Amino acid sequence: MRSTNLRPTSVYHLPGTIEAALAMLAESGGAATVLGGGTMAMPKLRDAAVHADSHVIDTARITGFGDLAADGTGITMAAGVSYSTLLSSSLTPSLLRAVAGRITGGPQIRNQGTIGGSACHANPASDIPTALVALQATLTIARLGSKRHLPACEFFLGPFCTDLRPGELLVALHVPATPATDWGYAKLKHGESSRPITVAAAQLTRGADDTVVDAAVTLGAATATPVRIPLDGPEQFTTARKLGPSLRTATFDAIHDTCTDWWADEAADRDYRRRVAGVIACRAIEDALSKESRS
Amino acid sequence: MTDLRPLNVNGIQFDGEYDPGTPLVDVIRNDIGLTGTHVGCRNGDCGACTVLIDGAPYKSCIVPAGRVAGQRIQTLDGLADGDDLHPVQQHFWNANAFQCGFCLAGQVLCTVAALHGNPAADPADLNTALAGNLCRCTGYQQIIVAVSSARAPKTVRTPCVTTDP
């Protein structure tokens, strides 16, 4: 018996190099689906949501596409780095390690899903876009013959919408080194197999005398795109362990002053997300406060 | 598009034709004829289609078959040695850790992979290892009993568990 071909119009490619993938993308004239891990794109192909596409370009066998590297400026991850690699590599930024251990889908999805694929999917109700905006990552986007670099906050344009253009491939993500910074992460979801309703990444950076000199929380899943919110009066966090009423209120206010584009999906409506966002942000800040990196 | 790169399933090379862009589970079931790997949601949610690729669990409904040519693919069908069940299968049997059996491939293979990497995995590790598998019968209690007994094969074998509340 022959297998049921679910996509009779598509041709599957498995390039071994970035250059070969870019050449295939250029040749396809924009009518191609790129597979990162494929955890989101494969079901879409089945559903014929990309029926007009005639080429499927799978990046899974590109040499070096699953590697991390460190230099003086920070960590560079190839776009095909999986969640499992984020968990096992000693180079992984601590925030991404916390994120990778708690994604939805179990070890099978941690083995297959990739940081670049999740970024390009840009589902508001996911972890990676928020983490990349929080880390102020820079994305390297290639097309045949050229490259460009883009801050993560400019990459995510809207729900399931990025600045990636036809013929382009996200190839790498650079996370700058953040010395003296404690990271915290919190997320709200109501079932192990459901998607997050709110995720929050907190960043507390300490000065020479241990005073917190910069504080920010980046919110996602509650909003259509990740929003990084600097917090006024960072020194107030210097000796805090838990957030008292005034810091909680200030955090809630900062969020509600900054965020306008609340997200809604089958898990929660906009009003629910607006109400819980501050609570989850405070949990993320308290997680960062518990990191005890202060000397 | 036809491709002749062979797939290695349960130690046997499959040299037949298959579409490399087709989900691996369809090639395993329809072209190779092994039906221990089940098709549940086709979304990568339920885990019924789980196989091990080079020892690590993947949901084969979202893996293009051509991607894993040349790698070691292990399905539930090849786990037993003739009539002798794999130890993890035996623990599932002893604990009645299945009702309809539809999710069994994922539950068993994720346990096999987790214990292979960490034979002394604690209960929290094993919960994490099974988090990608849905049992629509909600038979999780017996699965946890089986997995907990599987992690300590040197101790007294867990007796057949009844349905006492």
Side-chain angles (χ1 to χ4, degrees):
Chain A
M1 192 188 345
R2 292 299 316 280
S3 61
T4 309
N5 191 330
L6 296 165
R7 299 173 305 284
T9 60
S10 69
V11 179
Y12 175 81
H13 303 276
L14 194 61
T17 64
I18 288 174
E19 291 68 29
L22 294 175
M24 289 168 185
L25 266 175
E27 206 170 304
S28 75
T33 297
V34 175
L35 298 186
T39 63
M40 290 297 151
M42 285 293 285
K44 275 204 291 185
L45 288 168
R46 177 218 49 191
D47 291 341
V50 283
H51 188 71
D53 287 354
S54 55
H55 296 271
V56 175
I57 300 171
D58 189 349
T59 60
R61 290 288 166 268
I62 291 178
T63 303
F65 219 53
D67 295 347
L68 293 87
D71 65 20
T73 66
I75 306 294
T76 300
M77 294 163 287
V81 166
S82 69
Y83 295 102
S84 292
T85 300
L86 290 175
L87 281 172
S88 63
S89 171
S90 61
L91 299 178
T92 304
S94 65
L95 177 64
L96 286 173
R97 190 187 309 280
V99 165
R102 294 159 60 186
I103 63 145
T104 296
Q108 302 100 315
I109 301 298
R110 285 199 294 279
N111 289 334
Q112 187 177 343
T114 64
I115 186 168
S118 180
C120 293
H121 187 50
N123 184 354
S126 66
D127 301 83
I128 290 293
T130 301
L132 294 174
V133 171
L135 290 162
Q136 301 187 66
T138 300
L139 280 52
T140 302
I141 295 165
R143 67 163 57 246
L144 199 58
S146 69
K147 271 184 188 177
R148 65 186 175 110
H149 303 281
L150 195 66
C153 62
E154 295 176 22
F155 181 72
F156 300 105
L157 300 181
F160 305 99
C161 179
T162 71
D163 194 47
L164 207 59
R165 297 159 198 167
E168 289 187 329
L169 180 69
L170 173 63
V171 294
L173 307 94
H174 177 78
V175 173
T178 52
T181 296
D182 290 326
W183 291 95
Y185 193 66
K187 94 166 143 181
L188 176 70
K189 62 175 185 176
H190 292 317
E192 175 58 43
S193 59
S194 67
R195 299 191 175 284
I197 291 168
T198 297
V199 298
Q203 172 189 0
L204 300 176
T205 302
R206 292 181 187 269
D209 64 352
D210 211 30
T211 304
V212 174
V213 293
D214 189 24
V217 65
T218 304
L219 206 58
T223 47
T225 52
V227 181
R228 186 172 185 275
I229 304 150
L231 299 173
D232 289 337
E235 66 284 351
Q236 300 173 85
F237 295 99
T238 299
T239 57
R241 297 286 166 155
K242 295 283 178 187
L243 299 185
S246 64
L247 280 175
R248 294 181 78 83
T249 302
T251 303
F252 282 39
D253 288 347
I255 288 169
H256 291 141
D257 288 348
T258 310
C259 299
T260 52
D261 199 3
W262 300 98
W263 179 239
D265 62 15
E266 68 280 9
D269 64 17
R270 289 180 178 79
D271 192 49
Y272 183 87
R273 283 177 147 95
R274 186 179 59 77
R275 286 164 179 258
V276 298
V279 177
I280 305 309
C282 288
R283 287 182 192 170
I285 295 168
E286 290 182 343
D287 184 45
L289 289 169
S290 74
K291 297 296 165 66
E292 303 276 359
S293 79
R294 68 191 75 173
S295 50
Chain B
M1 177 182 171
T2 297
D3 196 301
L4 293 175
R5 288 171 307 155
L7 294 171
N8 175 348
V9 180
N10 301 330
I12 298 168
Q13 185 165 307
F14 172 69
D15 291 317
E17 288 185 9
Y18 65 96
D19 178 344
T22 294
L24 178 61
V25 67
D26 293 319
V27 176
I28 289 172
R29 288 179 60 89
N30 299 341
D31 293 310
I32 302 179
L34 297 173
T35 54
T37 310
H38 292 161
V39 179
C41 64
R42 284 196 180 278
N43 271 326
D45 293 330
C46 78
C49 65
T50 297
V51 301
L52 302 184
I53 297 170
D54 287 343
Y58 285 80
K59 294 177 179 177
S60 64
C61 71
I62 50 174
V63 174
R67 179 189 287 184
V68 294
Q71 293 181 276
R72 287 182 298 112
I73 301 163
Q74 167 88 58
T75 74
L76 189 69
D77 314 75
L79 205 54
D81 180 10
D83 289 338
D84 295 329
L85 294 178
H86 183 282
V88 169
Q89 288 177 303
Q90 187 65 54
H91 283 284
F92 272 70
W93 180 277
N94 294 348
N96 287 327
F98 40 82
Q99 290 187 34
C100 77
F102 202 87
C103 69
L104 203 58
Q107 309 285 6
V108 167
L109 290 172
C110 282
T111 305
V112 168
L115 292 176
H116 183 73
N118 179 11
D122 64 29
D125 293 332
L126 291 169
N127 272 344
T128 303
L130 293 178
N133 301 290
L134 302 180
C135 170
R136 304 293 191 190
C137 307
T138 68
Y140 294 106
Q141 190 61 44
Q142 300 309 101
I143 292 169
I144 294 299
V145 169
V147 172
S148 299
S149 60
R151 62 183 272 264
K154 294 281 197 281
T155 59
V156 178
R157 176 166 285 175
T158 305
C160 186
V161 175
T162 65
T163 54
D164 289 342

